[in-house]
Amino acid sequence: MAEHLRGARPLVLAGAAALAVLGTGLWAGRSGGPLLLARICDHPVVLGTAGIVLFTAALVRRTRSPLVRAETALVGAALAAVLPAAQFLGFFWNGEVTVRQAAPGRPDRVLVVEEAPDWIDTLSRVYVDDATGLVERRWHLGEFTGDDPSAGLTSVVWDGPDRLRVTVGGEVHLVDLAPGTGRPARSFHLR
């Protein structure tokens, strides 16, 4: 039995490594997560598809029956096609940075706005990147849609090095940031 599994072991390990890197990227992509690690590891389509392909190859290599090999390869190919198809249909974020502005007197604190087409309107995500290099963190400030004018992002501007002025619909919100970390005192989410 060990002899039979020996050829599949590197494929299983490579698939597990791809999924571990993906898990690390998803963890790093949370609010306040290390931005460098998120940029390197948060690629669900590429890493998820690679993990599926490698696990499928390991199963096909391990199986002796030609019929089971064909069935396993067919299921693996179908699963591997799901993630790229989902990305093509817009299920994964594919935003474009439309605003990147440093805080007054704080070049290490940056306001970032990304926009992407949604099913009907535009979806906007607002972040605060704090620090630089290996310790840079990304804090999620909010997610807004243009579907509902009362919930849409009208503007977001700096109101000092530790405060943002966020206008949602016609309502102005002042959001304080923690001086040491840049963490927003509150966040906004789609209603």
Side-chain angles (χ1 to χ4, degrees), residues 3-26:
E3 208 45 53
H4 186 60
L5 290 176
R6 185 170 293 148
R9 190 171 294 144
L11 295 172
V12 170
L13 291 175
L19 293 177
V21 170
L22 175 61
T24 301
L26 293 173

Side-chain angles (χ1 to χ4, degrees), residues 36-175:
L36 180 64
L37 198 55
R39 286 182 177 151
I40 293 170
C41 299
D42 192 9
H43 301 285
V45 174
V46 174
L47 293 170
T49 303
I52 291 169
V53 167
L54 290 167
F55 279 128
T56 301
L59 289 174
V60 166
R61 188 171 170 134
R62 183 175 178 267
T63 306
R64 293 178 192 219
S65 166
L67 181 60
V68 174
R69 278 184 174 200
E71 290 171 341
T72 304
L74 184 63
V75 169
L79 288 174
V82 167
L83 291 174
Q87 183 178 28
F88 177 75
L89 292 172
F91 286 105
F92 291 102
W93 179 255
N94 194 17
E96 182 178 322
V97 174
T98 57
V99 173
R100 185 166 185 76
Q101 182 182 38
R106 295 283 312 257
D108 62 331
R109 183 166 290 164
V110 178
L111 169 67
V112 178
V113 179
E114 290 182 348
E115 293 182 351
D118 199 11
W119 288 99
I120 298 171
D121 275 322
T122 300
L123 182 65
S124 301
R125 289 186 177 169
V126 181
Y127 308 102
V128 175
D129 291 350
D130 190 76
T132 58
L134 296 175
V135 295
E136 185 175 13
R137 303 271 178 195
R138 171 163 279 182
W139 297 98
H140 299 264
L141 180 67
E143 194 170 277
F144 307 89
T145 182
D147 292 346
D148 180 6
S150 67
L153 179 66
T154 305
S155 71
V156 58
V157 294
W158 287 105
D159 193 48
D162 297 322
R163 179 180 285 174
L164 289 167
R165 182 178 310 146
V166 182
T167 307
V168 180
E171 195 174 335
V172 176
H173 304 272
L174 294 177
V175 179

